[in-house]
Structure formats: structure tokens, C-alpha cells
Amino acid sequence: MQKPIPVNTPLLSGNELKYLTECIETGWISSEGHFIKVFEEKMAAYVGRNFGIAVSNGSAALDVAIKALNLQKGDEVIMPTFTIISPAQSVINVGAIPVLVESDETTWNMDVRKVEEKITNKTKAIVVVHIYGFPVDMQPILALCKKYNLFLIEDAAEMHGQTYHGQQCGSFGDISIFSFYPNKHITTGEGGMIMCNDEALADRCKKLRNLAFEPNGRRFIHYELGWNYRMTNMQAALGLAQLEKLDEHIKKKRHIGQKYNEGLTGLKGFQLPQIKTDYAENIYWVYGLVAETETLANETVKKLSEAKIGTRPFFWCMHEQPVFQKMGLFKNEKYPVAEKLARNGFYLPSGLGLTEEEIERVCNCLLE
Ligand SMILES: *Cc1c(COP(=O)(O)O)cnc(C)c1O
């Protein structure tokens, strides 16, 4: 009987238990505990930002980011169609309009050559989403933000420790965000962080995550609405222990990616991830495959599942989301590259707990 290989297994091999135990023994378990501040400061220092604001998850971080920048009804926000729903949801929830961009065939990121044609006099911001371990080509995006005076929101949820031209992902946006979900490079179980350099913006984010309590006013009197998106001290304790291991985790991810690259040479009918360009080397947050046909993708996923090997389908495009179609959004829009990624793409077991033997088993199964 072969053991199942799950699509993700986290690695909790450092000071997690020690710091968590400290939370329990001292009774500091809420968002008031001291690990929050330490985790925020260390993460900000790692990424090279002035401020980190810890929140309850990555999607919450995007909600806060969009609201903190005062994006509102009628504003247009450019983003990829091929992404998790979180950034689109945050934009729509403040009444702004997502304007979608086609994907690049090899990096699977937003095609940066197709962004400028989407800019109108209502455009207020660009959201970049670094997809599956390979960064967006940032230079053209930064140039557009400057030329048209747009905010840049950087969804670096999958990119802790990845760099673009040597500079940390998560350091490019007016606001950038990370997620600490268990399949990310470092995890807090559930968790997220907002990063920025501007102090006023950081204060506004802190206020919005905390029910928009006035920091200096009388408690329980509110002048606007926020959320309770606070992170607990227990999550931050995990996060701190994980951050100490981030460089190791990245090495491990790259090792897994390289093993798959080697093990899958000669595999016919599938496109493998982009290995590197002049600006970045893949960090293989997940190891994705894109089949030549949808049938091949479905049959392969089925065979892998029969061999007890877990997979996940790729993201589903925003312009094809039933929830947005019901709202009358993105009518008749077509993005063939992104649609193919969504239909023919899936990823292999990629978690930090994956062993060499498991990788070999997955490769052999695929080659068969
Ligand atoms: C994981 C992820 C998120 C959401 O993070 P959660 O913590 O799960 O809410 C947002 N954007 C991207 C690109 C992600 O991969």
C-alpha cells in the first residue's frame, strides 16, 4: 500500500513550540502580546520596508490595503484575470471596478505589455500578483505608475524571500501584502501582513484592522468602518519561528523545483514552470504544469489521484467567475492565454515537508 502524497505539508521544525508555549504560559494569547510587534518589525526588516502591519490573513491584508488607499466607487483598478479571487473581491467590496489583463504564456503572470492599453482617466491603481513563484516584470509597471500617477498594490502572498533584480518582492508597492497560509513559504496557520514605507498609511492600516477605533479618541466612538482583522500573539509566535527559517525554506523550495525539473525532462505534452529570466529565478512556491490539452490535464490529474498523489487545479479566471458574471461584470471579455492556464494547469505536491522519494514517485508516475 503506497502512502498518499498530499499536495502540501508544512514544515514546523524550529522554535514554533517554544514561542507558542511562552504564549500559553504567560497568558498572552490575544493581539496585545509582544510577538506581534517583534514579528512585524523582523518581517519589515527582512523585506526592507519601514512598516509591517500583521492581520488575520492575506485576503484581509488586501481589504485593508484597498481601503487605506481610499479607492472607491467608480475607480478603476488594473489587475490580472488569472489570480486568486482575493484582490478582485477587495476592489469590488469598496465599489471600485477591476479591469482585467491577459496572462503571459511563459511566466503565467499578468502580461505587462498589455497593461497600458487598459489605462483610462478613471484608473487609480495597478494590482500586481506574483504567480506561483515567479515575479512580475516590475520595471514596466513601475514606469506606468509613475507616468499616470497610479498607486501600486503588490500581492506578494506567494513570494516571501523572492527577489526581482535582487530586490525583495513585497518592497515594490505603495502597499504590498503577504499571506501566511500553511502552503506559503512561512506560515502562521492563518495570517497576513501589510507592508509600506509611509507612516501615515501604516497608521491608517493599523486603525482599519482594529474596527477603526480612533487611536487617540474616546474608545467606542467611530468615524468610519473597519474590520476586526487583528492577528493573535499565538499566530505571531509561529510566524517569528518560521521567519527564522525562511532562508532555509527558500533553499528547500528551489531544491524541490530543481528535482522536478530534472525528473520531468522528456515529459511530453506539458509545459513546465519558467526557470529563470534576467530578473529572477523561480522560487517554485508551487510546481505547476500546463498540459497541451484539457483532456490530457484531466486524465493526468485522475491518474495521479489513483496513485494517491495530490494535485490542485490552477486559479480560475476572474472574467469567468460565476459570481462576477451575475453582477454583470466582464461581459464578452476573452483572455485565451489565461483561459488555457485555468483549464489545462494544475500543480504537483510542492510543500516544504516533501521528501526526495516522494518527488521521485511523482515524476515516475507522470512519465508513465
Ligand atoms: C494565498 C494568497 C492570497 C490570500 O491569502 P489568505 O491568507 O489565504 O487569505 C492572496 N493572494 C495570493 C496571490 C495568494 O496566493
Side-chain angles (χ1 to χ4, degrees), residues 179-350:
S179 162
F180 305 116
Y181 189 70
N183 64 0
K184 315 290 175 169
H185 300 143
I186 58 175
T187 183
T188 60
E190 298 283 351
M193 200 177 286
I194 303 152
M195 324 277 329
C196 65
N197 289 341
D198 183 86
E199 188 166 13
L201 193 55
D203 286 344
R204 184 151 162 75
C205 290
K206 281 182 201 162
K207 181 176 160 183
L208 288 171
R209 84 171 158 187
N210 189 27
L211 293 172
F213 276 117
E214 291 293 323
N216 303 311
R218 185 200 180 280
R219 195 129 169 117
F220 303 112
I221 297 182
H222 301 263
Y223 295 88
E224 69 172 328
L225 298 179
W227 300 270
N228 177 357
Y229 281 164
R230 301 183 299 257
M231 179 184 264
T232 70
N233 201 43
M234 296 181 284
Q235 289 165 295
L238 269 180
L240 181 60
Q242 288 269 299
L243 183 56
E244 293 167 356
K245 293 277 184 174
L246 178 52
D247 290 337
E248 236 176 83
H249 286 190
I250 292 161
K251 269 204 205 116
K252 174 118 208 237
K253 278 279 181 189
R254 286 218 161 100
H255 178 72
I256 292 171
Q258 204 195 326
K259 283 277 155 195
Y260 273 133
N261 285 337
E262 288 167 16
L264 296 177
T265 40
L267 180 69
K268 290 209 187 66
F270 294 89
Q271 179 197 349
L272 308 185
Q274 171 93 301
I275 295 174
K276 62 193 264 189
T277 59
D278 63 332
Y279 60 78
E281 223 179 289
N282 209 323
I283 204 168
Y284 304 101
W285 170 58
V286 293
Y287 195 93
L289 294 178
V290 180
E292 269 168 13
T293 66
E294 196 175 351
T295 313
L296 178 61
N298 292 338
E299 282 173 1
T300 309
V301 164
K302 191 161 162 262
K303 289 268 189 247
L304 288 167
S305 160
E306 282 162 16
K308 295 201 159 66
I309 295 167
T311 58
R312 275 273 182 298
F314 271 14
F315 296 138
W316 194 249
C317 297
M318 292 307 108
H319 68 283
E320 295 194 290
Q321 293 289 350
V323 59
F324 295 149
Q325 286 176 345
K326 256 195 297 188
M327 296 165 100
L329 288 163
F330 316 130
K331 266 208 195 98
N332 304 319
E333 292 186 31
K334 293 248 179 317
Y335 302 99
V337 178
E339 288 163 23
K340 183 182 168 195
L341 292 176
R343 285 172 175 73
N344 299 15
F346 60 93
Y347 63 84
L348 301 174
S350 310

Side-chain angles (χ1 to χ4, degrees), residues 57-59 62 84 86 129 155 157-158 179-181 184 191 285 315:
N57 58 67
S59 306
L62 283 163
I84 192 169
S86 309
V129 183
D155 182 341
E158 311 171 352
S179 162
F180 305 116
Y181 189 70
K184 315 290 175 169
W285 170 58
F315 296 138

Side-chain angles (χ1 to χ4, degrees), residues 53 55-71 77 79 83-94 126-129 152-158 175-179 184 191-195 205 208 227 229:
I53 300 101
V55 289
S56 47
N57 58 67
S59 306
L62 283 163
D63 278 346
V64 172
I66 299 287
K67 188 150 183 191
L69 292 172
N70 294 319
L71 297 176
V77 180
M79 68 177 65
T83 170
I84 192 169
I85 200 168
S86 309
Q89 172 174 294
S90 300
V91 164
I92 285 170
N93 280 340
V94 297
I126 299 177
V127 179
V128 297
V129 183
L152 177 61
I153 299 153
E154 183 187 16
D155 182 341
E158 311 171 352
I175 292 195
S176 304
I177 70 100
F178 288 102
S179 162
K184 315 290 175 169
M193 200 177 286
I194 303 152
M195 324 277 329
C205 290
L208 288 171
W227 300 270
Y229 281 164

Side-chain angles (χ1 to χ4, degrees), residues 25-232:
E25 284 180 351
T26 59
W28 286 104
I29 53 175
S30 77
S31 59
E32 296 287 315
H34 83 285
F35 282 122
I36 303 277
K37 197 155 171 284
V38 179
F39 182 41
E40 286 176 337
E41 285 175 2
K42 294 229 158 136
M43 188 72 196
Y46 187 98
V47 180
R49 309 269 351 208
N50 294 344
F51 301 99
I53 300 101
V55 289
S56 47
N57 58 67
S59 306
L62 283 163
D63 278 346
V64 172
I66 299 287
K67 188 150 183 191
L69 292 172
N70 294 319
L71 297 176
Q72 53 193 306
K73 201 169 158 67
D75 291 346
E76 292 180 1
V77 180
I78 293 173
M79 68 177 65
T81 187
F82 183 70
T83 170
I84 192 169
I85 200 168
S86 309
Q89 172 174 294
S90 300
V91 164
I92 285 170
N93 280 340
V94 297
I97 303 155
V99 174
L100 305 178
V101 177
E102 174 66 300
S103 304
D104 178 285
E105 222 161 341
T106 49
T107 65
W108 307 337
N109 281 311
M110 179 162 75
D111 188 337
V112 295
R113 295 161 303 187
K114 295 187 174 156
V115 173
E116 190 164 20
E117 66 198 52
K118 297 281 179 158
I119 295 174
T120 73
N121 57 10
K122 289 188 185 147
T123 309
K124 289 284 159 55
I126 299 177
V127 179
V128 297
V129 183
H130 305 292
I131 306 271
Y132 298 161
F134 206 84
V136 174
D137 189 2
M138 292 305 297
Q139 265 159 8
I141 298 290
L142 291 165
L144 287 176
C145 285
K146 201 159 170 207
K147 181 171 167 192
Y148 293 98
N149 194 27
L150 307 175
F151 289 123
L152 177 61
I153 299 153
E154 183 187 16
D155 182 341
E158 311 171 352
M159 303 301 267
H160 330 60
Q162 175 60 297
T163 57
Y164 171 84
H165 276 306
Q167 189 186 328
Q168 287 286 326
C169 291
S171 70
F172 289 94
D174 293 289
I175 292 195
S176 304
I177 70 100
F178 288 102
S179 162
F180 305 116
Y181 189 70
N183 64 0
K184 315 290 175 169
H185 300 143
I186 58 175
T187 183
T188 60
E190 298 283 351
M193 200 177 286
I194 303 152
M195 324 277 329
C196 65
N197 289 341
D198 183 86
E199 188 166 13
L201 193 55
D203 286 344
R204 184 151 162 75
C205 290
K206 281 182 201 162
K207 181 176 160 183
L208 288 171
R209 84 171 158 187
N210 189 27
L211 293 172
F213 276 117
E214 291 293 323
N216 303 311
R218 185 200 180 280
R219 195 129 169 117
F220 303 112
I221 297 182
H222 301 263
Y223 295 88
E224 69 172 328
L225 298 179
W227 300 270
N228 177 357
Y229 281 164
R230 301 183 299 257
M231 179 184 264
T232 70

